[in-house]
Amino acid sequence: DSGVTQTPKHLITATGQRVTLRCSPRSGDLSVYWYQQSLDQGLQFLIQYYNGEERAKGNILERFSAQQFPDLHSELNLSSLELGDSALYFCASSVAKVYTGELFFGEGSRLTVL
Amino acid sequence: AQTVTQSQPEMSVQEAETVTLSCTYDTSENNYYLFWYKQPPSRQMILVIRQEAYKQQNATENRFSVNFQKAAKSFSLKISDSQLGDTAMYFCAFMTPYGGSQGNLIFGKGTKLSVKP
């Protein structure tokens, strides 16, 4: 158990809908990262938050947004969903803003868009 | 832009034997870090081993070791005495603390390793 908790584990929804994925980092970790894993794109970095503020942005679509709350949990909002958004969404956490060690990953949220 | 390439989509090995997974990367940075992460059927990504580019000595963790060739930009993973529990997807990843990858992991496409009894 990495200590990173993601909910829901599985989610099935329709095109055009909006979903929210939630992540609770390990106790004491201030950085939260979101990654998307899909068959065609592989594992891609989406966005990172550090202590409530956006720190780095990767290949995140404009239809997607995220935030990190004062209690350090994070939410990834996906809107106007398309079939191609079906993927496994991982959250990871680390203690530092720029961390060169191990990232601790959650078990992921499997999103299926029908 | 930094890229990570894993040229072996799938590999298999007999239990107790040794297997080597390949990874090459491309970067113009001098300060970077390389990782191998494992993703078993449970889906969770788990760090296997980590290498700092400025260290010439290859990293080892029990049965796992790397062959880091900086000039060739190669970072292969050797698994000795393979066990059934090693069956998983293995991802090579690269990171620069600043600039480049912005301090975030860039992953290869992965190699699916099957350990056969």
Side-chain angles (χ1 to χ4, degrees):
Chain A
D1 183 7
S2 67
V4 177
T5 304
Q6 288 189 249
T7 57
K9 285 188 169 38
H10 301 275
L11 189 56
I12 301 174
T13 189
T15 54
Q17 296 297 306
R18 171 189 163 95
V19 298
T20 297
L21 309 180
R22 182 189 168 102
C23 169
S24 294
R26 289 191 321 156
S27 177
D29 283 359
L30 300 178
S31 265
V32 169
Y33 311 74
W34 287 97
Y35 285 84
Q36 178 195 57
Q37 184 178 28
S38 62
L39 283 175
D40 52 345
Q41 298 291 327
L43 267 159
Q44 288 197 101
F45 166 67
L46 294 179
I47 197 164
Q48 178 198 356
Y49 279 82
Y50 175 76
N51 204 19
E53 297 199 357
E54 181 184 306
R55 191 240 153 211
K57 224 172 195 178
N59 297 323
I60 188 166
L61 299 172
E62 285 192 10
R63 300 183 285 109
F64 297 180
S65 64
Q67 53 184 326
Q68 187 179 27
F69 294 86
D71 67 352
L72 300 178
H73 91 270
S74 178
E75 292 181 357
L76 179 66
N77 301 297
L78 316 175
S79 61
S80 303
L81 285 168
E82 302 174 0
L83 296 177
D85 297 328
S86 294
L88 189 55
Y89 291 86
F90 281 108
C91 169
S93 73
S94 72
V95 63
K97 183 186 294 188
V98 180
Y99 192 61
T100 60
E102 178 178 6
L103 289 191
F104 294 90
F105 285 80
E107 292 184 355
S109 294
R110 168 78 67 189
L111 173 67
T112 302
V113 182
L114 300 176
Chain B
Q2 285 87 357
T3 58
V4 177
T5 302
Q6 294 179 251
S7 59
Q8 305 149 314
E10 290 193 45
M11 294 189 73
S12 65
V13 63
Q14 292 295 129
E15 197 175 5
E17 293 189 347
T18 295
V19 64
T20 298
L21 279 56
S22 300
C23 172
T24 58
Y25 58 94
D26 188 25
T27 184
S28 58
E29 304 276 350
N30 200 42
N31 179 23
Y32 56 88
Y33 298 78
L34 296 162
F35 305 81
W36 279 97
Y37 275 85
K38 167 185 176 181
Q39 185 179 35
S42 65
R43 304 188 324 202
Q44 191 165 17
M45 300 286 287
I46 303 164
L47 179 67
V48 175
I49 200 164
R50 170 181 172 273
Q51 175 79 41
E52 298 159 354
Y54 63 86
K55 286 189 176 179
Q56 291 188 341
Q57 187 173 4
N58 289 324
T60 63
E61 287 287 342
N62 302 313
R63 299 181 295 109
F64 300 87
S65 62
V66 298
N67 183 5
F68 174 47
Q69 301 289 329
K70 190 172 184 178
K73 295 180 182 174
S74 169
F75 183 60
S76 61
L77 174 69
K78 185 171 85 170
I79 306 175
S80 304
D81 186 25
S82 296
Q83 301 175 359
L84 296 177
D86 295 333
T87 293
M89 282 289 288
Y90 287 81
F91 293 93
C92 180
F94 167 98
M95 186 261 272
T96 56
Y98 297 98
S101 72
Q102 303 180 78
N104 293 287
L105 292 169
I106 298 172
F107 287 94
K109 294 287 191 187
T111 296
K112 184 177 182 181
L113 177 67
S114 299
V115 180
K116 301 185 185 305

